[in-house]
Amino acid sequence: MAGYRESRMRVDGCNTVLRRGGNGPPLLFLHGAGGFGIWGDFHDRLASRFDVLAPSHPGFDGSDDPPWLDRVADLGHFYLDLMQALGLEQVHLVGHSLGGWLAAEIATRDTRRLASVTLMCAAGIHVEGIAQLDTFLLAPDERVRRQFVDKAKAESLAARVSDPANLDLVLKNQETAARLAWQPRLYDPHLRKWLHRIDRPTLVLWGDSDPIFPAAYAEAYGRLIPGAKAVVIERCGHQPNVEHPAETATAITTFIEGLSA
């Protein structure tokens, strides 16, 4: 791996873990509800073209759990403040799952620091009549297994969340995710009303076998965000960045580099 630097920065009274690596235009990656924002092959591939910033959200992993954190919108305002504190401009915002919901929340509020938005298997909206896997009702290891088509990768990640050494972090992340997204389950009923405000080029990137947010969710986001482009990765579940890191990083890089063509 190309490597990264890990530091802690204080924003809005919250000490936040920040991993950063690579060179180029800034790319801010927002992780999903499972946490474990470990730098992997996907991040390395992006870091060959971009200055990749991969923080652990407030309330997750090694970051503080601040008293102001009650909803995803709170995280949206936090990341607007973080980008300002770091002096970031023309940011390529990439969010996965809960992080995709968060990216959409940010982009409906203020796009002045953004160059593009990528929503990967994003939570945040509800599509009537579509069966979904309710991850809150599963044990952590089973929750992971059900998210993958590739069983070997599923077992590798399931072993990580089952490791007793990681129990405290798993429980912390689960509690924060429940606080943010328990009811309504993994969406904000008001978000879809404002997705038309996203005025930056947007990529909707999905796994074709996502059991949590099936392909109908990609189609819905594509309709609600003006000019959004959709890419579907085959033989892929809910975590394209882990299951198909090369293809996922290439899709994001191709999309971004195509904006200046």
Side-chain angles (χ1 to χ4, degrees):
M1 294 184 183
Y4 60 92
R5 306 174 301 279
E6 183 173 308
S7 62
R8 295 180 71 86
M9 64 178 299
R10 189 171 181 82
V11 176
D12 295 332
C14 176
N15 292 308
T16 305
V17 175
L18 175 64
R19 300 169 186 85
R20 188 171 190 173
N23 293 286
L27 185 150
L28 177 60
F29 178 76
L30 305 176
H31 66 76
F36 280 89
I38 296 172
W39 190 279
D41 182 41
F42 166 76
H43 300 86
D44 265 337
R45 290 175 183 275
L46 289 177
S48 69
R49 304 288 186 91
F50 304 100
D51 173 15
V52 178
L53 299 92
S56 290
H57 305 323
F60 289 85
D61 296 337
S63 295
D64 288 352
D65 188 0
W68 47 256
L69 180 56
D70 297 306
R71 55 192 186 134
V72 173
D74 294 329
L75 288 179
H77 290 293
F78 168 83
Y79 277 112
L80 288 170
D81 288 349
L82 181 143
M83 286 187 279
Q84 179 177 346
L86 290 172
L88 299 178
E89 302 285 351
Q90 292 296 296
V91 176
H92 297 290
L93 184 62
V94 179
H96 168 247
S97 193
L98 178 72
W101 174 3
L102 173 54
E105 291 276 4
I106 292 167
T108 60
R109 283 166 168 74
D110 188 349
T111 58
R112 286 175 293 179
R113 294 183 182 272
L114 304 183
S116 74
V117 179
T118 295
L119 307 181
M120 186 194 311
C121 299
I125 61 174
H126 178 66
V127 180
E128 290 288 344
I130 302 300
Q132 295 176 259
L133 176 67
D134 189 341
T135 57
F136 282 122
L137 302 183
L138 300 174
D141 57 338
E142 184 62 20
R143 182 185 309 135
V144 167
R145 290 188 182 95
R146 298 283 291 276
Q147 294 181 34
F148 286 84
V149 174
D150 185 325
K151 300 306 181 186
K153 290 189 175 180
E155 289 303 325
S156 176
L157 193 55
R160 186 189 305 165
V161 300
S162 299
D163 186 338
N166 293 324
L167 178 59
D168 286 347
L169 284 183
V170 169
L171 292 176
K172 176 183 179 180
N173 295 345
Q174 187 170 292
E175 189 280 329
T176 301
R179 187 192 328 159
L180 299 175
W182 181 267
Q183 189 64 36
R185 197 69 116 232
L186 291 170
Y187 77 99
D188 178 350
H190 301 289
L191 177 61
R192 64 166 50 232
K193 296 186 298 186
W194 303 109
L195 290 172
H196 69 274
R197 298 192 73 246
I198 299 179
D199 59 2
R200 293 296 186 266
T202 299
L203 174 64
V204 177
L205 181 59
W206 233 261
D208 67 345
S209 300
D210 187 343
I212 303 174
F213 303 108
Y217 279 77
E219 295 169 7
Y221 262 118
R223 290 192 303 269
L224 292 165
I225 300 173
K229 176 183 178 181
V231 171
V232 175
I233 297 179
E234 296 181 355
R235 301 179 301 282
C236 183
H238 182 62
Q239 299 201 36
N241 52 313
V242 178
E243 195 158 22
H244 294 286
E247 188 174 351
T248 303
T250 296
I252 295 170
T253 300
T254 300
F255 166 68
I256 292 173
E257 293 184 345
L259 300 178
S260 57

